Amino acid sequence: MRAGAGGGFEVTHRMVLGLALPMTLGFLTTPLLGITDTAVAGRLGDADALAGLAIGAVLFDLIFASFNFLRASTTALTAQAWGRGETAEQEAVFWRALISALAIGAAVMLAGPLLLKLGLLLMSPTEGAARATGEWFSLRILSGPATLANYAILGFLLGQGRSKTGLLLQALINGVNIALSVLFGLTMQGGIAGIALATVTGEVVGMIAGLVIVLRGFQARDPRRISGLLERGKLARLFSLNADIMIRSFVLLGAFFLMTRIGAQFGAETLAANAVLMNFFMVAGFWLDGLANAAETIIGRSLGAGYRPAFDRGLRLTGYWSLMLAILTSLILALAGRPIIDFLTTSEPVRAIAYQHLPWAAITAISGCLAFLMDGVFIGAAWSKAMRNRMLLAFAGFGLCLWSLVPLAGNTGLWLSLNLFLFLRGVFLAIAVPKLRAQSFRASQ
């Protein structure tokens, strides 16, 4: 699968797994990082520290995952340019994404104190948890430009089908982060601040390495030499795509924000237990995201080349492997859940609550596998408006679930609502595929 090859191509099990497995392993280092940070905070012996880390992570993710469009749109537009055989346009896509990432990251970093104040106001944590959140967030926000630049770099690599290189970069970022988190947080007794400093260092190291790798293969390393870089039509398409994906991402993070906010009302121990269990959901999501990224590349390239057989077979094969991995993941999480919980926290009350809700966290892989896959399909096809609208519809369903189930079942109702939300997202997106596919290939003829 050479970049810029263009034309028809065959989709095989080997191709799907060759694209998915490297990024599955790469993305898996992200929840491992979360597990490490949770374990470091949990072993500080302070429930407020663990709760503060959970709140800070949600605030940071709520902000930065809203800009995940930088990765998603870069993957989609690069893959489609690749399918058309347009090498220069692939480079232009990267420069547009990188310049946007650095500008947005710098703006968010400068707005950090205001964002922290607003976040704490919305979350209403205890005094101790708020203090820990502020200590972590004030350092973590400094990685803003590097974090978003890494989104653009990874999106470009995935769009070209260079998943092994993406794996190396993800492993580098999170490997540095994990090692330094233990070093700074525990060995050097830096606590929450040490965990945050480790994350900042990992993001910067990854950005530098990623830029070196990407630019070495460019024909024009100076963006001013790219013809059409600021072409109005292409910029308009990029901004439209980014706006839709941003709204979708913001709504998704809003759902996780609501879950954390409602969980906080049940007390610090329940909030801490949910933070531990959310690592299970993160493992499931990032594990399955490798196949979603394979779908992005295959679907984007097939539409760029105007070759429907690759689209159809890519959809079937990625769907098959997504379901198989989801079932396997849920079984592993259910069977190994208690030892993992014991590793993540030494607090017996937190452990007891986490044990009780472990089954709900374990099945998120199955309830969410279709949603994860459809995200990849819709991003690769650049069906951003449809994805945005169906996310809003699923979020409305999530709100109804929270309204009806939480008063009846407490924290169990909260986890059940999350699973129903994931299921609804997948179903709503899948129903729309046949019509959108027909429209897209008719337009490409």
Side-chain angles (χ1 to χ4, degrees), residues 134-151:
E135 186 178 3
W136 181 88
F137 187 88
S138 296
L139 286 172
R140 179 69 171 95
I141 200 70
L142 298 177
S143 69
T147 297
L148 296 186
N150 286 327
Y151 287 3

Side-chain angles (χ1 to χ4, degrees), residues 44 46-56 116 120 124-136 192 268 271:
L44 296 175
D46 182 1
D48 282 337
L50 185 55
L53 176 63
I55 293 171
L116 173 61
L120 291 176
S124 300
T126 63
E127 182 179 349
R131 185 168 54 253
T133 298
E135 186 178 3
W136 181 88
I192 292 293
L271 177 61

Side-chain angles (χ1 to χ4, degrees), residues 76-158:
L77 297 177
T78 301
Q80 292 185 18
W82 180 33
R84 295 190 299 268
E86 297 175 353
T87 301
E89 177 58 19
Q90 293 175 56
E91 296 182 13
V93 168
F94 173 78
W95 283 118
R96 294 182 194 118
L98 181 64
I99 292 169
S100 299
L102 293 175
I104 294 171
V108 172
M109 181 178 66
L110 293 174
L114 177 61
L115 294 171
L116 173 61
K117 184 176 181 180
L118 179 61
L120 291 176
L121 180 64
L122 293 173
M123 298 293 286
S124 300
T126 63
E127 182 179 349
R131 185 168 54 253
T133 298
E135 186 178 3
W136 181 88
F137 187 88
S138 296
L139 286 172
R140 179 69 171 95
I141 200 70
L142 298 177
S143 69
T147 297
L148 296 186
N150 286 327
Y151 287 3
I153 292 168
L154 181 60
F156 177 77
L157 292 171
L158 294 179

Side-chain angles (χ1 to χ4, degrees), residues 4-10 82-85 301-302 304-307 310:
F9 60 100
E10 182 183 3
W82 180 33
R84 295 190 299 268
R301 185 183 175 192
S302 67
Y307 190 60

